[in-house]
């Protein structure tokens, strides 16, 4: 079989800790990594070679350290290194970053990398002082449980507004009854993440309310770009506007 060149890629970033310079534990002991395995499998199924020639790589970031570690921002540095390696492997292909918690923070910080087109953050860690200028001209969709007690859904919503004013196209999807670990309503988390990533890559329809939110002007309030996950699930297949091409 002739291997076809990649036309796009997804880079997955699992969560971690606020501090911790030791490396993540191996295999099943690395619970943040384990939580992302269903997402990786779902994306790999969705990214199988298609008749139209689309070939999407799915790769994961390997952290050198367990924590963010303040100004060191270790997870961010690892994300940039992984993007550089992905560029060497696949060339100048559009990349969507999919991160959870600390991994979402790293994805948001690394979004200024020239390969990155979009970021999907799951239960992201969004400290108020984090920069947003690197998100200009990117699509940013944050998915957050309304009951999250580990990271703040209010901070995520605020970031979408700040990033929109900085030139990003943003949306926040709220998950009623979810949790930070994405164990409650797990199938819904997996489905929406896959739909968002494939939609942002132009490989399928982007949920209609998300597409509307991404098209809002820079002056829009945070609440205007916030949609409920159950609204997305209530849509009938095929009714969403087509995704923008990359």
């Amino acid at each position: 079989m002739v291997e076809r060149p990649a036309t796009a890629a997804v880079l997955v970033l699992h969560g971690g800790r606020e501090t911790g310079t030791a490396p993540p534990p191996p295999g099943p002991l690395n619970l943040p990594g384990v939580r992302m395995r269903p997402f990786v499998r779902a994306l790999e199924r969705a990214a199988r070679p298609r008749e139209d020639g689309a070939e999407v790589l799915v790769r994961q970031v390997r952290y050198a350290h367990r924590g963010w570690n303040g100004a060191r921002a270790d997870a961010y540095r690892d994300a940039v290194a992984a993007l550089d390696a992905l560029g060497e492997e696949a060339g100048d292909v559009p990349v969507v970053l999919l991160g959870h918690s600390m991994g979402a923070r790293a994805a948001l910080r690394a979004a200024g990398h020239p390969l990155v087109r979009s970021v999907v953050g799951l239960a992201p860690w969004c400290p108020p002082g984090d920069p947003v200028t690197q998100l200009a001209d990117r699509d940013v969709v944050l998915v957050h449980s309304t009951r999250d007690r580990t990271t703040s859904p209010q901070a995520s919503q605020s970031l979408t507004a700040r990033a929109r004013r900085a030139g990003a196209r943003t949306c926040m999807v709220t998950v009623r009854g979810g949790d930070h670990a994405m164990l409650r309503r797990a199938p819904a988390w997996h489905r929406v993440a896959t739909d968002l990533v494939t939609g942002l890559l132009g490989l399928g329809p982007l949920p209609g309310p998300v597409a509307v939110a991404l098209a809002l002007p820079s002056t829009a309030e945070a609440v205007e770009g916030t949609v409920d996950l159950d609204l997305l699930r209530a849509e009938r297949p095929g009714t969403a506007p087509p995704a923008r091409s990359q």
Side-chain angles (χ1 to χ4, degrees):
M1 181 186 300
V2 177
E3 186 174 343
R4 290 178 290 185
T7 56
V10 184
L11 190 61
V12 179
L13 304 91
H14 67 70
R17 296 181 174 182
E18 185 171 355
T19 59
T21 55
L29 298 178
N30 182 6
L31 293 181
V34 170
R35 289 190 188 105
M36 296 305 288
R37 288 180 184 174
F39 295 93
V40 172
R41 290 194 294 266
L43 289 169
E44 288 175 340
R45 287 193 297 270
R48 286 172 180 164
R50 295 148 44 104
E51 293 181 0
D52 61 6
E55 179 81 11
V56 180
L57 297 179
V58 180
R59 297 289 184 264
Q60 298 180 69
V61 173
R62 306 295 181 185
Y63 298 128
H65 308 282
R66 211 168 176 176
W68 184 270
N69 299 314
R72 287 175 41 156
D74 287 317
Y76 156 66
R77 296 177 186 277
D78 289 338
V80 171
L83 284 164
D84 288 341
L86 186 55
E88 292 179 4
E89 176 186 3
D92 186 16
V93 297
V95 176
V96 173
L97 301 178
L98 174 66
H100 172 241
S101 193
M102 182 189 78
R105 184 184 186 187
L108 290 164
R109 286 285 293 273
H113 193 283
L115 292 181
V116 177
R117 301 295 184 271
S118 310
V119 177
V120 177
L122 308 175
W125 176 22
C126 300
D130 271 10
V132 293
T133 54
Q134 76 281 3
L135 298 170
D137 202 32
R138 271 57 173 175
D139 293 308
V140 178
V141 184
L142 305 183
V143 186
H144 217 134
S145 166
T146 57
R147 295 184 179 180
D148 197 323
R149 297 296 180 265
T150 303
T151 57
S152 168
Q154 291 78 21
S156 289
Q157 189 177 55
S158 175
L159 185 138
T160 62
R162 290 197 298 121
R164 191 182 298 117
R165 291 194 295 270
R169 298 172 291 272
T170 68
C171 175
M172 178 172 172
V173 179
T174 57
V175 183
R176 286 180 286 167
D179 64 336
H180 184 73
M182 304 179 297
L183 298 176
R184 297 190 185 97
R185 305 193 64 184
W189 283 96
H190 302 156
R191 184 166 49 251
V192 72
T194 302
D195 289 348
L196 289 171
V197 170
T198 55
L200 290 167
L201 285 173
L203 302 178
L206 196 63
V210 173
V212 170
L214 293 178
L216 288 170
S218 61
T219 55
E221 297 294 333
V223 67
E224 296 180 69
T226 301
V227 300
D228 188 285
L229 173 65
D230 292 320
L231 175 62
L232 305 187
R233 296 181 68 200
E235 285 194 337
R236 291 188 301 172
T239 61
R244 287 186 302 278
S245 59
Q246 298 295 334

